[in-house]
Amino acid sequence: MRSDGIRRRPVKIVATILSGNSQSLVSDAIVSVRDYMDQLLLIDTGITDETVARAEAAAGEKLKVLTFPWCDDFAAARNFALNAASEFNANWALTIDTDERVNFSSLRTRDALIARLNQRDDTMAWMVAAADHSYAKERFIRVPTSLTWVGRTHEALIGASDQARELLDDVHFWETPKSAEQYRHKLERDLRILETETAKDPGDARWWYYLGQTLDGMGETERALEAYQSCARNEGWNEQLAWSSYCAAKCLTRMHRFRDAEEAAAYGLTIDAGFAELPWIAGWACYQRDALEQAVAWSNMAANMGEFAARSLRRPRVGFRFLPAWYEAPYDTLRHALRKLGEFQAADRAEKCFRRAKQLRLGGNITV
């Protein structure tokens, strides 16, 4: 009770889980968050197997099952789930999928989680990073909310400023691996949607990026390259545009077009000069075509941006990270390029930095 005598409604956290036939997955997803939740809403998008029964066994009385007829639109389903959480009087809605698991790490109790979520009154959404820190997703959303999910696939939550969207660094999540059949099904579903969206709105960079990612996953490198380049040349979120340039450079290296890969990386740096991945892959491409001095120059640039050489200058990023490029990968190129150039002492120093940077990335103690 507040000192002014006004009774506050207890904070309520509700998990929302979209689910089709997920009987082998749903229990572990629920168990990973159950003790922190007041209620769990299972959004049935077309379940015909034992998913509901297994969810009930895992969640007990906390579970409520709601029906959302599937319409090939993840944003619509997630907005339905957010509205449902509001109707169940939630203060915070957790978004989790059946193939995801959450680790609350140092937040050992529900009260500790609530204190963290309510740390600032102006936070509208808390991001949670993947366990490997490669990307983050909006997980906890303050409800009721003016924020909206958009996008039939690879949906994005819009409406929050950077200041109203914070990283909840006490919590991490991971995804269970998909079988080859499940992965192919996902890619084919996404391809169908994304080809429609890029044709309908070719000026939306994010559709091109996700089309490139989907085609990449299907092994269609040339078509993926075209999609990534279309993303990078559009207007949009600079972080995504620069990452698309990096993805285009990766495609080009697989096609052994190393000079073009260097140019794609350089183009990405004109969009966002804070990506260590871009000079790293430019240096690696130069090494592959035996342009050793260029390889050294690019790799030194990447190393100076990275977390090993410039940890105090770390630049936060929501996602889109290839962590070895921020640690040991530039030194890997350097140690080989310098040795080929006959600069053996410099190569030995690069070798030592390579080993120490890799230790740092993997969380080990750095040895001299």
Side-chain angles (χ1 to χ4, degrees):
M1 186 178 292
R2 289 166 54 183
S3 58
D4 58 10
I6 299 173
R7 185 182 296 276
R8 284 187 171 182
R9 177 167 64 89
V11 173
K12 185 174 182 178
I13 310 175
V14 172
T16 65
I17 309 170
L18 304 186
S19 182
N21 288 340
S22 303
Q23 62 183 19
S24 65
L25 297 169
V26 69
S27 297
D28 287 345
I30 287 173
V31 168
S32 76
V33 303
R34 178 184 58 200
D35 293 344
Y36 292 83
M37 300 296 116
D38 296 285
Q39 225 158 22
L40 297 104
L41 305 183
L42 185 73
I43 312 301
D44 177 354
T45 62
I47 296 169
T48 59
D49 64 1
E50 294 298 310
T51 296
V52 172
R54 296 188 184 188
E56 288 171 341
E61 294 181 354
K62 289 185 177 182
L63 187 74
K64 299 291 181 184
V65 181
L66 304 176
T67 301
F68 178 83
W70 185 242
C71 57
D72 254 0
D73 192 330
F74 280 94
R78 295 209 190 278
N79 288 325
F80 173 85
L82 274 183
N83 290 334
S86 295
E87 291 172 5
F88 278 87
N89 297 314
N91 301 94
W92 291 97
L94 166 65
T95 297
I96 180 173
D97 292 335
T98 56
D99 63 350
E100 295 173 336
R101 312 288 179 257
V102 180
N103 182 348
F104 290 89
S105 187
S106 60
L107 299 177
R108 299 190 180 278
T109 66
R110 180 181 171 280
D111 287 344
L113 173 62
I114 289 171
R116 188 79 169 90
L117 294 176
N118 289 337
Q119 196 168 27
R120 282 180 45 183
D121 291 339
D122 59 348
T123 301
M124 301 174 71
W126 286 97
M127 310 284 292
V128 173
D132 65 359
H133 300 280
S134 58
Y135 69 108
K137 288 183 177 181
E138 293 91 350
R139 289 294 178 190
F140 289 92
I141 301 166
R142 192 190 294 272
V143 289
T145 185
S146 60
L147 306 184
T148 305
W149 291 100
V150 297
R152 291 168 59 202
T153 186
H154 295 289
E155 60 280 7
L157 188 67
I158 63 168
S161 66
D162 289 344
Q163 292 72 29
R165 190 190 313 254
E166 292 195 76
L167 182 66
L168 188 63
D169 50 14
D170 309 276
V171 182
H172 299 94
F173 78 96
W174 69 97
E175 298 181 36
T176 60
K178 290 179 172 61
S179 68
E181 182 181 354
Q182 289 169 330
Y183 185 56
R184 188 76 190 180
H185 173 75
K186 176 190 183 305
L187 293 175
E188 289 172 350
R189 178 202 66 205
D190 286 352
L191 180 62
R192 183 178 66 252
I193 294 171
L194 291 164
E195 286 183 330
T196 300
E197 294 301 323
T198 50
K200 185 170 66 177
D201 189 3
D204 191 330
R206 65 186 300 272
W207 293 132
W208 288 109
Y209 168 71
Y210 286 115
L211 178 60
Q213 186 185 66
T214 299
L215 291 165
D216 223 349
M218 299 176 83
E220 297 191 30
T221 302
E222 290 192 16
R223 290 181 65 198
L225 171 62
E226 291 174 5
Y228 286 136
Q229 289 174 330
S230 293
C231 174
R233 291 168 185 154
N234 256 307
E235 295 293 322
W237 180 28
N238 281 357
E239 193 169 302
Q240 190 171 66
L241 306 186
W243 185 256
S244 285
S245 293
Y246 169 69
C247 293
K250 284 202 302 180
C251 288
L252 289 161
T253 61
R254 291 203 299 272
M255 298 162 71
H256 298 279
R257 292 169 55 184
F258 298 116
R259 186 70 180 87
D260 291 337
E262 182 187 10
E263 290 181 2
Y267 180 77
L269 285 168
T270 69
I271 299 170
D272 190 325
F275 268 65
E277 293 88 348
L278 291 165
W280 165 69
I281 200 166
W284 187 85
C286 287
Y287 179 81
Q288 296 303 312
R289 65 184 182 89
D290 219 30
L292 299 178
E293 291 183 353
Q294 281 286 91
V296 169
W298 282 119
S299 298
N300 276 323
M301 181 187 297
N304 287 330
M305 285 184 185
E307 304 247 5
F308 179 68
R311 275 176 279 168
S312 63
L313 302 176
R314 181 180 176 182
R315 182 180 173 202
R317 183 154 355 133
V318 170
F320 303 126
R321 277 161 59 97
F322 176 62
L323 287 178
W326 290 80
Y327 290 90
E328 75 273 14
Y331 300 106
D332 190 27
T333 304
L334 279 170
R335 61 179 178 160
H336 292 296
L338 289 166
R339 213 166 292 283
K340 273 193 173 184
L341 287 167
E343 298 182 26
F344 299 111
Q345 287 187 336
D348 288 343
R349 288 194 296 270
E351 179 82 35
K352 183 180 290 188
C353 287
F354 168 77
R355 298 185 186 283
R356 296 178 70 201
K358 188 172 183 178
Q359 278 184 292
L360 181 64
R361 178 174 66 83
L362 297 177
N365 294 321
I366 297 178
T367 56
V368 178

